């Protein structure tokens, strides 16, 4: 930065002396330009940290349950040399935090990693456990070029772990050297220890057969509307390693080059954010390092979407599930990914108002993180919008029973509690208009509504929801 700034100032001074002086220079001005360069050292930890902060482990937030106490070095264990990184994974009930994770940051301005093709390290465990996530590019800032590999299996012997770089040409100035996150999901809650050694970026030359993917490699068809925003997710890159194993990593959007086949319908930025700006159909695709990614997003917009009617009921009479007008009574999961479900669900912004857009629905649900006690309430309200004739939506209100976990057992892929579902059919929907429903919580449901845990959605297949809440008059 300093070299560039000095050149810029010098240009201004010369220009102020007159055009004749500037044009009389025999050497082209660009010959003086010196671009900033960054360290290309690939070593991160050998027997000690290389180019990192003095306290080189920066823990995830303890307020979010991360345990900052289980990280250190070990002079009694090493794959090579005399020392290694030691990580003690806590039990879930550890008072200092129930999981461990954090990042290693480069001490300086960052490193030029364009000459490497993988992050590598040796690891072993005290038992045959699994590290939930490892990777690089996470810097507690933009995380612009973050890469994550999941479920790294540990042995009680040292094994080399290889995390391919999706596109090394992007990593001109990277500060996020390493990150990990580990818990006891694979050890039935028992803590364990693992060690890492010889942590570095390498040029292996054996990383082959790149196979990038967006939307998990699926061709998705999505109804949208002018003014809405969608997100291309499910981003990954897969390489074949020298061992013959295919290693897949989750890659940040900035590794991809996204394209919209019709920019008058929708545009897509470098973060995979799709803005629908007109009517028609466009196809969103992507490349990574010049290789076409599998998966695509076909977006069809029939124009703008009117706002759903604004709720007017007093907040004191409402327990909200999804609405901009009320504080939610519980967090929800609107895309629970039930087994066998073909549904694509997108939380999208309609000119400042969030709505839930469902495409290709066979069955899905809105599951509640906490049960809702609707025993003092008399109706469920929901606003529904459809863009095609003949659409009907089946809705089941599920009471999961006292102290009953929603995931305890399943029927046909749906979470099942100890009570029956109460089904309603949302019919009479008018194309291009919002239809409001106030569903009575009566009949058999009148005595089975104090532990509501989910709304199960069938039929469709395409519809939009807004303003979902329980209320009493």
């Amino acid at each position: 930065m300093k070299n560039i700034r000095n050149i810029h100032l010098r240009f201004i001074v010369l220009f102020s002396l007159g055009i004749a002086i500037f044009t009389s220079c025999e050497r082209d001005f660009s010959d003086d330009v010196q671009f900033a360069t960054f360290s290309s050292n690939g070593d991160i930890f050998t027997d000690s940290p290389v180019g990192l902060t003095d306290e080189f482990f920066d823990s995830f937030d303890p307020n979010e349950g991360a345990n900052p106490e289980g990280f250190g070095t070990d002079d009694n264990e090493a794959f090579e040399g005399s020392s290694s990184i030691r990580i003690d994974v806590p039990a879930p009930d550890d008072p200092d935090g129930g999981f461990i994770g954090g990042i290693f940051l480069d001490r300086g301005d960052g490193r030029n990693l364009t000459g490497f093709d993988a992050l590598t390290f040796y690891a072993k465990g005290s038992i045959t456990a699994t590290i939930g996530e490892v990777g690089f590019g996470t810097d507690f800032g933009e995380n612009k070029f973050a890469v994550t590999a999941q479920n790294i299996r540990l042995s009680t012997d040292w094994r080399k772990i290889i995390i391919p770089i999706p596109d090394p040409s992007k990593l001109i100035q990277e500060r996020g050297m390493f990150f990990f996150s580990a818990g006891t999901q694979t050890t039935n809650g028992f803590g364990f220890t693992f060690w890492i050694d010889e942590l570095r970026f390498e040029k292996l030359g054996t990383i082959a057969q790149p196979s990038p993917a967006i939307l998990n490699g699926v061709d998705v068809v999505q109804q949208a509307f002018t003014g809405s925003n969608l997100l291309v997710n499910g981003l990954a890159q897969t390489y074949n390693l020298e061992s013959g194993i295919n290693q897949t990593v989750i890659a940040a959007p900035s590794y991809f080059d996204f394209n919209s086949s019709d920019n008058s319908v929708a545009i897509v930025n470098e973060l995979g954010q799709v803005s629908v700006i007109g009517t028609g159909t466009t196809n969103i695709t992507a490349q990574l390092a010049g290789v076409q990614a599998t998966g695509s997003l076909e977006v069809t917009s029939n124009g703008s979407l009117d706002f759903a009617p604004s709720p007017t009921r007093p907040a004191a009479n409402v327990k909200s599930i999804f609405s901009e007008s009320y504080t939610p009574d519980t967090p929800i999961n609107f895309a629970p990914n039930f087994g066998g479900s073909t549904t694509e669900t997108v939380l999208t912004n309609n000119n400042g108002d969030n709505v839930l857009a469902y495409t290709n629905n066979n069955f899905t649900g809105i599951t509640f993180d906490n049960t809702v006690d609707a025993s003092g309430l008399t109706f469920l309200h929901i606003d529904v919008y459809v863009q095609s004739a003949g659409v009907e939506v089946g809705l089941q209100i599920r009471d999961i029973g006292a102290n009953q976990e929603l995931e305890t057992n399943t029927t046909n892929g749906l979470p099942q509690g100890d009570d029956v579902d109460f089904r309603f059919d949302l019919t009479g929907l008018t194309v291009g208009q919002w239809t409001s429903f106030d569903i009575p919580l009566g009949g058999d449901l009148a005595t089975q509504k104090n532990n509501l845990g989910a709304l199960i959605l069938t039929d469709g297949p395409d519809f939009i929801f807004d303003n979902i809440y329980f209320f009493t008059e």
Side-chain angles (χ1 to χ4, degrees), residues 275-338:
S275 299
V276 182
I277 58 175
T279 60
T281 299
T282 188
N283 201 40
I284 307 297
T285 56
Q287 292 186 348
L288 198 162
V291 179
Q292 188 69 35
T294 58
S296 64
L297 175 62
E298 181 184 291
V299 179
T300 297
S301 169
N302 294 324
S304 60
L305 177 68
D306 294 333
F307 290 115
S310 296
T312 58
R313 294 183 173 94
N317 296 348
V318 169
K319 288 191 175 180
S320 179
I321 304 302
F322 179 84
S323 177
E324 298 288 317
S325 298
Y326 302 108
T327 300
D329 189 66
T330 175
I332 62 171
N333 181 0
F334 57 79
N337 298 317
F338 296 153

Side-chain angles (χ1 to χ4, degrees), residues 337-388:
N337 298 317
F338 296 153
S341 174
T342 61
T343 309
E344 293 290 334
T345 311
V346 177
L347 173 68
T348 188
N349 188 289
N350 177 31
N351 295 308
D353 178 46
N354 288 326
V355 298
L356 293 173
Y358 294 84
T359 301
N360 198 32
N361 180 60
N362 58 347
F363 61 86
T364 188
I366 300 172
T367 60
F368 308 161
D369 288 7
N370 306 307
T371 57
V372 174
D373 182 0
S375 54
L377 306 176
T378 51
F379 292 92
L380 169 67
H381 178 92
I382 189 166
D383 292 322
V384 186
Y385 186 98
V386 296
Q387 295 174 294
S388 301

Side-chain angles (χ1 to χ4, degrees), residues 2 26-27 33 38 55 73 148 160 190 195 208 259 261 286 319 347 349-350 366 377 384 412 417 428 431 435 453:
K2 181 181 291 185
E26 294 181 0
R27 189 169 66 181
V33 175
F38 305 99
E55 296 182 0
T73 57
T148 302
K160 188 171 185 176
F190 291 99
W195 294 265
N259 178 68
S261 63
K319 288 191 175 180
L347 173 68
N349 188 289
N350 177 31
I366 300 172
L377 306 176
V384 186
N412 297 324
V431 175
T435 304

Side-chain angles (χ1 to χ4, degrees), residues 38-166:
F38 305 99
S39 171
S40 58
N41 187 354
D43 288 345
I44 303 168
F45 183 95
T46 52
D47 278 338
S48 60
V50 180
L52 304 177
T53 54
D54 294 331
E55 296 182 0
F56 64 98
F57 173 62
D58 196 352
S59 174
F60 290 135
D61 191 350
N63 292 325
E64 299 296 328
N67 189 323
E69 302 300 326
F71 182 88
T73 57
D74 192 335
D75 294 335
N76 297 314
E77 285 282 355
F79 172 77
E80 199 170 275
S82 60
S83 183
S84 67
I85 297 168
R86 174 176 172 145
I87 298 164
D88 296 318
V89 181
D93 58 355
D94 191 304
D96 291 323
F99 79 98
I100 188 168
I103 66 173
F104 302 174
L105 280 180
D106 176 74
R107 173 183 295 176
D109 294 327
R111 301 193 198 182
N112 184 333
L113 303 177
T114 57
F116 306 106
D117 58 15
L119 169 74
T120 69
F121 58 93
Y122 288 84
K124 81 168 192 174
S126 59
I127 58 175
T128 55
T130 297
I131 310 173
E133 294 183 332
V134 300
F136 61 90
T138 300
D139 56 13
F140 290 166
E142 290 185 283
N143 302 330
K144 187 172 183 179
F145 295 113
V147 170
T148 302
Q150 296 180 314
N151 301 320
I152 303 301
R153 190 70 175 168
L154 294 169
S155 168
T156 53
D157 296 322
W158 288 101
R159 289 184 178 178
K160 188 171 185 176
I161 309 299
I162 298 173
I163 312 299
I165 301 175

